[in-house]
Amino acid sequence: MSDLMAEITKAMGFRHYALVHHVDLKPAARSVHIIDYPPDWVDRFQARRLYASDPIHRASHRTNVGFAWSAVQSIISLTAADRSILAEAYEAGLGDGFTVPAHIPGELNGSCSFAMAAGEMLDHRQLPLVQLVGSFAFEAARKISRIHEPEVQCPSLTERQAECVALVARGKTDWEIGQILGIGQETVIQHVKDARDRYGVTRRTLLAIRALFDGQISFADVFGR
Amino acid sequence: MSDLMAEITKAMGFRHYALVHHVDLKPAARSVHIIDYPPDWVDRFQARRLYASDPIHRASHRTNVGFAWSAVQSIISLTAADRSILAEAYEAGLGDGFTVPAHIPGELNGSCSFAMAAGEMLDHRQLPLVQLVGSFAFEAARKISRIHEPEVQCPSLTERQAECVALVARGKTDWEIGQILGIGQETVIQHVKDARDRYGVTRRTLLAIRALFDGQISFADVFGR
DNA sequence: GATGATCTCCCCAGAACTGGGGATAACGCA
DNA sequence: TGCGTTATCCCCAGTTCTGGGGAGATCATC
């Protein structure tokens, strides 16, 4: 796969690529982690755990199609820290690049990025092709990486539990949730209790965030209507 | 957008399209719902709330790249009920089709599908193009659907507040947070209180989710380490 | 030197949540 | 028919959170 990626990267006129799930532990179970970036940068990336705060990764969590790194501020607003991360990457030899996000509900977020050497320009006419290649490359890597699946699936909630958790996420009290769903407060307490048990957490706040993270509820459930 | 989609659909040799978030309530706040399917089928789809159980939708939740409907059983295993749904769609005038999933963490799942009339064949050489068009069409629709957003500028938290909220999001109690940050429990209570005030919310659960939503804290803050 | 923002700490009353223990009824599956 | 799952309801003791009220210290800015 690495060889193939290297070849494609070169053919499209790029210098580096990264086909990764956004986690820090590279030897993690079945996560994809195929990189050809300047080693210097990879080390720093790992050391500072940028996998989640890196602006490019953050932006990739906000969209469905690829984007040029130079246009990242049209997706998220950059803090001073973000700018310094980008500057540092540039120093390390990464020029402009293009990142294709890869999201599947309940799975780790990932992306496929291609980068020029520092100083070189992106060829914008090629970007649709890069988008396509990135998507399929990630999907291919994902399929390969899960051939041996022992399959740890995230806990699932019953419909009622999910409804309660969505309302918990909205900051409703158990009594309010009971009113909204037309059931007793005690019942709500029970549902929330059961949901907490399934996730193995003891606080409703973490419950809500976990449920949000793996798609049992969505931001739309929280802010919708 | 409908006109544009109709044109593109035709140009690519398809008969129908559907650019949708996977929800039942079509007039929902900011969800995408642009469809040109046989009305008969749309009605039945709504009535039976297939948005969640339809095999095509289910399959689209399992992958990142588009797939031909005729190959859906390579993604999910079809039950008898699934087969009958597919057969029904065929009866209603939907032939083979191609669905491009669209997932963004924390948002509703969606997809962009194109379908032939019943009996016609997919041109497999076109599928990469369809993949590309589907992705961008969905992203465009998504962006348009949120132009009119009330546009509330998000409150910003002080560094200490953000640290406290991140730990709140991890389900820590105020006392635990105090231990972790090396400050008194009372101080933590104050920070959380101030953070709640800034967001104008009364529950820490909603505080955590709001802070997560607009990037004051990230999932990495919650699950990292 | 005043003003505002931030961080730190304290007290209290009432509301909300958590972790135990119960119970009944409906449903599908074997 | 029994077993498991789900949904509904109840009680209670103890903990945690929320919404009020304070206060002192630092720091930058005007």
Side-chain angles (χ1 to χ4, degrees):
Chain A
M1 188 88 197
S2 304
D3 296 343
L4 198 54
M5 280 298 290
E7 200 177 316
I8 294 174
T9 301
K10 202 171 160 195
M12 295 192 304
F14 287 94
R15 184 73 63 91
H16 302 287
Y17 66 85
L19 187 57
V20 292
H21 271 131
H22 297 173
V23 281
D24 57 347
L25 343 105
K26 80 176 85 184
R30 288 172 299 287
S31 74
V32 172
H33 200 93
I34 306 173
I35 292 199
D36 170 28
Y37 267 13
D40 189 27
W41 176 244
V42 173
D43 291 345
R44 256 187 288 179
F45 202 87
Q46 295 287 338
R48 290 169 48 190
R49 303 168 169 283
L50 291 183
Y51 63 96
S53 52
D54 173 54
I56 301 301
H57 279 197
R58 284 212 332 272
S60 84
H61 295 167
R62 297 292 191 132
T63 179
N64 185 40
V65 297
F67 56 92
W69 296 356
S70 47
V72 71
Q73 74 284 355
S74 69
I75 299 175
I76 58 171
S77 49
L78 296 176
T79 66
D82 291 335
R83 285 177 212 284
S84 92
I85 291 173
L86 293 175
E88 228 178 292
Y90 191 88
E91 292 302 317
L94 286 174
D96 200 0
F98 190 83
T99 290
V100 184
H103 307 300
I104 296 171
E107 296 191 13
L108 287 169
N109 297 318
S111 62
C112 182
S113 301
F114 297 94
M116 316 295 292
E120 291 176 14
M121 294 283 291
L122 273 185
D123 178 356
H124 283 255
R125 291 166 309 176
Q126 276 223 320
L127 297 187
L129 172 64
V130 180
Q131 158 82 31
L132 211 47
V133 169
S135 296
F136 283 106
F138 192 92
E139 184 68 10
R142 171 174 168 265
K143 283 216 178 98
I144 291 172
S145 74
R146 64 183 41 207
I147 287 177
H148 308 293
E149 273 195 83
E151 194 58 60
V152 266
Q153 61 215 1
C154 56
S156 82
L157 302 177
T158 67
E159 198 181 328
R160 221 38 169 167
Q161 286 165 8
E163 286 176 314
C164 288
V165 174
L167 289 164
V168 163
R170 294 179 105 129
K172 303 297 183 189
T173 67
D174 291 339
W175 181 84
E176 290 173 315
I177 296 171
Q179 296 298 303
I180 293 168
L181 296 180
I183 58 180
Q185 178 185 204
E186 292 297 338
T187 310
V188 176
I189 291 176
Q190 192 57 49
H191 284 314
V192 174
K193 216 181 281 193
D194 290 341
R196 284 203 319 267
D197 284 346
R198 293 205 176 182
Y199 272 100
V201 301
T202 61
R203 301 281 151 202
R204 59 174 41 205
T205 301
L206 185 50
L207 167 65
I209 286 182
R210 290 279 303 259
L212 194 57
F213 184 66
D214 57 44
Q216 290 280 338
I217 61 174
S218 74
F219 277 119
D221 293 324
V222 180
F223 302 116
R225 235 162 354 277
Chain B
M1 187 89 197
S2 303
D3 296 344
L4 198 56
M5 280 298 291
E7 199 176 318
I8 296 174
T9 302
K10 201 173 163 195
M12 295 192 305
F14 288 94
R15 183 74 61 93
H16 301 287
Y17 67 85
L19 187 57
V20 292
H21 271 132
H22 297 174
V23 281
D24 57 347
L25 347 103
K26 80 175 86 181
R30 285 173 295 283
S31 74
V32 171
H33 199 93
I34 306 173
I35 292 197
D36 171 28
Y37 268 12
D40 190 27
W41 176 242
V42 173
D43 291 344
R44 257 187 286 181
F45 203 86
Q46 294 287 341
R48 289 169 49 191
R49 305 167 68 82
L50 290 182
Y51 63 95
S53 55
D54 172 55
I56 301 301
H57 279 197
R58 272 187 14 246
S60 84
H61 296 166
R62 298 297 199 119
T63 179
N64 185 39
V65 298
F67 55 91
W69 295 355
S70 47
V72 70
Q73 74 284 353
S74 71
I75 299 175
I76 57 170
S77 49
L78 295 176
T79 65
D82 291 335
R83 285 177 213 285
S84 92
I85 290 173
L86 293 176
E88 226 176 296
Y90 190 88
E91 291 302 319
L94 287 173
D96 200 1
F98 189 81
T99 290
V100 183
H103 306 301
I104 297 172
E107 295 190 13
L108 287 170
N109 296 318
S111 62
C112 182
S113 302
F114 297 93
M116 316 294 292
E120 292 175 14
M121 293 285 289
L122 272 185
D123 178 356
H124 282 257
R125 291 166 308 174
Q126 277 226 318
L127 296 188
L129 172 63
V130 180
Q131 158 83 29
L132 211 47
V133 169
S135 296
F136 284 104
F138 191 90
E139 185 68 8
R142 170 174 169 265
K143 285 218 176 98
I144 290 173
S145 75
R146 59 187 50 207
I147 282 178
H148 308 293
E149 274 193 76
E151 192 61 55
V152 271
Q153 65 211 10
C154 57
S156 85
L157 302 177
T158 69
E159 197 182 329
R160 223 34 169 171
Q161 286 164 7
E163 286 176 311
C164 288
V165 173
L167 289 163
V168 163
R170 296 179 104 133
K172 305 295 184 189
T173 66
D174 291 337
W175 181 85
E176 290 174 312
I177 295 170
Q179 296 297 304
I180 294 169
L181 296 180
I183 58 180
Q185 180 186 201
E186 291 298 336
T187 310
V188 176
I189 291 175
Q190 191 58 48
H191 284 314
V192 174
K193 214 180 281 194
D194 290 340
R196 283 203 320 269
D197 284 346
R198 292 203 175 185
Y199 273 100
V201 301
T202 61
R203 299 285 149 203
R204 55 172 48 205
T205 301
L206 185 51
L207 167 65
I209 286 180
R210 290 281 302 262
L212 193 58
F213 183 66
D214 57 43
Q216 290 281 340
I217 62 174
S218 73
F219 277 120
D221 294 323
V222 181
F223 301 116
R225 240 155 354 275

